[in-house]
Amino acid sequence: MSDPESLRCSSVRNRGGVQRVEGKLRASVERGDYYEAHQMYRTLFFRYMSQAKHAEARELMYHGALLFFSHNQQNSAADLSMLVLEVLEKSDAKVEDEILEHLAKLFSRMDQNSPERAAFVSRALKWSTGGSSKLGHPKLHQLLALTLWKEQNYSESRYHFLHSSDGEGCAQMLVEYSASRGYRNEVDLFVAQAVLQFLCLKNKNSASVVFSTYTEKHPSIQKGPPFVQPLLNFIWFLLLAVDGGKLTVFTVLCEQYQPSLKRDPMYNEYLDRIGQLFFGVPPKQSPSYGGLLGEPNRSSGRRFLLVEHLYNLTKKKITLMLLQI
């Protein structure tokens, strides 16, 4: 028998063994012997781990957790869910969509207010990026965001969408968030913050998608651009400016829309970061925003003379200049 055939036969035998064990454990749970079944799952977990049967251990713990969840045995289910993560952390399992979907499904079944849920998602995200300091795999963030959206936990859903690559899903969630929790005069605030934060994460594509989708689908936003809301016009111009990469345009744009930007004190902080990432602006030396948009340093030469000249243009001319980026 060739090596591939031998491995395939071995895998089939192992799966058959796991299924037989699962059948016995399922029967125990169905009888209501939750404690005994839980202890047996843990015993088998350590046995499989000592034999380096990582795939079998992970599969058994995953299905066991779902079984306990189906019987509302949250503590036992959460414990087995943590064991799934332990297998992943101690084995050489690759980050695959199926595994990420399994982790998201376990997360979705956990009690929303349990401390185990927070611990589980933290470990899952850390594993998904190889234990590095990164914030987690975008696919896992997307799956978590979708679960939290269904739970109407919009704030947490928004956080995970920002770390995914799903600008369209984020926009649709924000439309629902705005319609159900926001005021009519805040429709522009929901998307503006998301776009600015996507840009701060250097995710220009998702920033553009979330803006276009949100403004197209929100029932309280008239078709544009241009838009009735000045802040939406600012975001539209900003996305154009990011593509153009011209510091003078970015500077004048921020100056002209300061009344709208003052609606949220964080906007200028985001714009400082965006200036550094996309326009080559050095980090500011003081916590005030004047370093980027305040009085120009006249000793710095021609660039600031040009900025001063642009400051004196009318808003109409500035708009035309931005449209030509």
Side-chain angles (χ1 to χ4, degrees), residues 8-26 40-41 44 47-48 51 53 55-57 59-60 63:
R8 186 163 53 251
C9 291
S10 176
S11 176
V12 171
R13 286 195 299 271
N14 289 336
R15 176 58 189 151
V18 171
Q19 287 179 329
R20 286 192 294 273
V21 171
E22 285 181 345
K24 293 179 180 179
L25 291 170
R26 180 176 295 276
M40 182 57 69
Y41 271 109
L44 290 170
R47 182 182 300 170
Y48 281 148
Q51 297 171 355
K53 294 182 177 180
E56 291 84 355
E59 185 175 355
L60 186 62
H63 289 291

Side-chain angles (χ1 to χ4, degrees), residues 24-40:
K24 293 179 180 179
L25 291 170
R26 180 176 295 276
S28 182
V29 172
E30 297 291 350
R31 291 194 303 270
D33 297 331
Y34 303 126
Y35 177 80
E36 291 79 0
H38 183 195
Q39 294 306 307
M40 182 57 69

Side-chain angles (χ1 to χ4, degrees), residues 65-223:
L66 293 180
L67 179 61
F68 278 115
F69 278 129
S70 69
H71 286 77
N72 200 31
Q73 297 298 304
Q74 282 283 330
N75 291 336
S76 295
D79 181 62
L80 298 192
S81 298
M82 291 296 187
L83 294 181
V84 171
L85 287 176
E86 187 171 332
V87 179
L88 294 173
E89 292 165 349
K90 293 183 177 179
S91 67
D92 57 354
K94 295 181 180 179
V95 178
E96 299 174 346
D97 284 353
E98 183 181 17
I99 294 177
L100 297 179
E101 289 165 2
H102 284 179
L103 295 178
K105 187 170 185 178
L106 293 175
F107 172 81
S108 71
R109 302 294 295 276
M110 290 184 181
D111 185 281
Q112 298 176 22
N113 299 314
S114 69
E116 290 83 6
R117 196 188 210 201
F120 177 84
V121 74
S122 178
R123 283 178 65 180
L125 288 169
K126 184 176 180 180
W127 169 80
S128 73
T129 48
S132 69
S133 59
K134 295 180 181 179
L135 296 174
H137 195 284
K139 175 69 173 181
L140 182 55
H141 275 295
Q142 180 197 30
L143 295 171
L144 296 173
L146 292 172
T147 292
L148 291 161
W149 179 9
K150 290 179 182 177
E151 297 172 359
Q152 297 185 331
N153 188 341
Y154 299 113
S155 179
E156 290 295 323
S157 174
R158 183 180 169 283
Y159 167 81
H160 289 290
F161 269 125
L162 284 172
H163 295 287
S164 74
S165 299
D166 187 3
E168 183 174 357
C170 182
Q172 292 174 342
M173 181 277 294
L174 289 174
V175 169
E176 183 178 309
Y177 190 9
S178 169
S180 62
R181 305 284 175 85
Y183 295 103
R184 187 179 179 85
N185 63 352
E186 296 176 337
V187 294
D188 49 351
L189 299 180
F190 283 83
V191 70
Q193 186 180 51
V195 170
L196 294 174
Q197 290 183 337
F198 269 124
L199 289 176
C200 285
L201 294 169
K202 215 169 183 179
N203 190 343
K204 184 171 64 173
N205 181 64
S206 293
S208 297
V209 172
V210 74
F211 180 73
S212 61
T213 305
Y214 183 90
T215 54
E216 287 171 7
K217 294 185 178 295
H218 201 294
S220 298
I221 295 178
Q222 296 179 11
K223 187 176 181 180

